Amino acid sequence: MTVMETTATDAETGTRTDVCAAAPQRHPRPDGRDNYTISEVVAFTGLTAHTLRWYERIGLMSHIDRSHTGQRRYSNRDLDWLNLVGKLRLTGMPVADMVRYAELVREGDHTYGERFELLEATRRDVRARIAELQDTLAVLDHKITFYADAGRAPASEGSR
């Protein structure tokens, strides 16, 4: 699944708003619903309830609506945001940078430049890590080939 940032335009004001969105996907969310308990979000995301509460406490999640009894009620937009956060976690982005990114999104359009720079720096780090992993994979492939060839060598040749 591809995660992207898109913009939505308010019909009345014509104002563009940054919206965290994921490419359309098949997900376990029931059609027509936009109100989930913390246990449902745990099931959808694989995150723990403790992690979800922590994300809210540190500012990684914006305000989560509450029911009349005080239970958290997550929206589809919240689930989309959690999907993006999961992708950012996979990049190795520090939590402080993720929180800063969340703050910038909440601050509005005038922060596009700073958000761009933050994501660009993260992309550079990811590309460097991918290059390291490709080098590591090449070493592994070489060793695997060596041992595969050694296993096929006639026993009379002895060890090398």
Side-chain angles (χ1 to χ4, degrees), residues 35-133:
N35 188 351
Y36 308 97
T37 65
I38 198 166
S39 60
E40 289 172 317
V41 174
V42 164
F44 296 155
T45 64
L47 297 169
T48 66
H50 174 78
T51 298
L52 292 168
R53 289 183 198 105
W54 181 65
Y55 282 179
E56 190 177 356
R57 196 168 47 252
I58 66 171
L60 192 51
M61 294 285 302
S62 57
H63 173 75
I64 303 299
D65 287 335
R66 303 278 182 140
S67 71
H68 69 283
T69 60
Q71 292 179 317
R72 287 171 175 82
R73 294 292 183 208
Y74 294 84
S75 68
N76 286 322
R77 187 173 177 154
D78 295 327
L79 295 178
D80 290 340
W81 178 259
L82 287 169
N83 185 44
L84 175 64
V85 168
K87 299 300 183 195
L88 294 177
R89 285 179 54 218
L90 287 173
T91 69
M93 179 186 272
V95 172
D97 287 349
M98 288 189 277
V99 169
R100 179 65 186 141
Y101 181 80
E103 290 168 348
L104 292 169
V105 169
R106 286 189 293 270
E107 287 176 23
D109 293 354
H110 69 279
T111 64
Y112 278 0
E114 196 173 341
R115 284 185 252 172
F116 174 86
E117 291 300 323
L118 188 57
L119 294 176
E120 275 284 316
T122 300
R123 182 170 58 181
R124 282 190 301 273
D125 293 344
V126 168
R127 286 187 170 160
R129 213 162 0 126
I130 288 170
E132 288 174 337
L133 287 171

